[in-house]
Amino acid sequence: MRVRKLTLAAMALAAGLSLTACQGDDGTDQSAAPPAASTASSSNGGSGSAGSDQEGGTDSAGKTPNGTGGTSGSGGTGGSAEDGKAAKCRTDELEITAMDATVGGDTEGTVAVDLKNGGGRDCTLAGYAGVDLKTNTGTLSAERTGEEASPVVLKDGENVTFGITYPINNTGGSGVRITGLVVTPPNETKSVTLDWPGGASLPASDEPGSPVKVGPMGSAGQGG
């Protein structure tokens, strides 16, 4: 009986050791595999992400100088050149006077209107001034002569003159009495009213159109 009990005990101990050994092998395989897989995945993913970010940053930085370089064609110089051109003369910048310029023996009377730049900057007069005569029968507008009207740039203190021609009243009658002269500089709406320095009247006429003519800037010579 004693021998049999020892044998059974030895068999039970051997079976226990075998079971423990099997459990140890399974635990080692399961615990070791996940960390290894996790480490590899983290390493590969991190490298790939960093590479993408670096390449993207390089591209963005590379594009920035090109975009900045484009500002060299911003037209700043062209804009400055345009701004450098003399702007039109304003009525308030001009000293406007009128004088009789009729020469003895002329069949027509002439009034010279002088425009002097007193605005403290260069300015441009281009085209024809507006001219209206105030008369005892209403306002009479002068017609343009049709001569070429080239732009005139006036420095501060310089002047330009244009001419007004009108028929002289030799009829012996009272005609149309002139009471004033209204001048509007080219491309302006503000006018200046002056005394009329020419003949006191115009011959009465039933002909269509205005007998008064106005020339472009510089048509009556240019003063100093």
Side-chain angles (χ1 to χ4, degrees):
M1 291 294 294
R2 182 178 179 84
V3 172
R4 185 178 180 182
K5 289 181 179 179
L6 290 174
T7 303
L8 292 173
M11 291 176 63
L13 178 61
L17 291 174
S18 177
L19 178 61
T20 301
C22 290
Q23 289 177 347
D25 292 341
D26 293 341
T28 301
D29 292 341
Q30 292 173 0
S31 62
S38 175
T39 302
S41 175
S42 174
S43 175
N44 292 338
S47 298
S49 176
S52 297
D53 290 345
Q54 289 174 0
E55 289 178 1
T58 302
D59 290 343
S60 299
K63 291 176 182 178
T64 300
N66 293 337
T68 305
T71 59
S72 63
S74 61
T77 302
S80 299
E82 290 180 0
D83 294 341
K85 294 180 181 180
K88 71 176 183 179
C89 299
R90 300 287 186 179
T91 301
D92 291 338
E93 297 176 315
L94 299 170
E95 179 183 346
I96 304 175
T97 56
M99 65 192 75
D100 184 12
T102 304
V103 177
D106 286 352
T107 57
E108 289 184 317
T110 301
V111 167
V113 179
D114 187 82
L115 297 88
K116 183 177 181 178
N117 178 16
R121 65 181 180 91
D122 294 358
C123 66
T124 302
L125 289 170
Y128 287 74
V131 171
D132 298 295
L133 300 187
K134 290 184 175 182
T135 75
N136 61 328
T137 61
T139 300
L140 178 64
S141 297
E143 293 183 355
R144 297 177 178 181
T145 60
E147 298 173 66
E148 182 179 355
S150 300
V152 176
V153 177
L154 296 180
K155 294 185 180 298
D156 185 37
E158 290 185 342
N159 66 297
V160 65
T161 306
F162 69 87
I164 303 170
T165 57
Y166 61 95
I168 298 174
N169 184 15
N170 293 324
T171 63
S174 60
V176 179
R177 185 165 54 88
I178 302 173
T179 60
L181 168 64
V182 181
V183 177
T184 307
N187 303 308
E188 277 287 272
T189 57
K190 186 175 182 179
S191 302
V192 174
T193 300
L194 307 170
D195 292 335
W196 173 252
S201 63
L202 301 174
S205 174
D206 294 330
E207 295 181 6
S210 175
V212 182
K213 308 295 181 184
V214 57
M217 293 294 138
S219 59
Q222 185 167 343

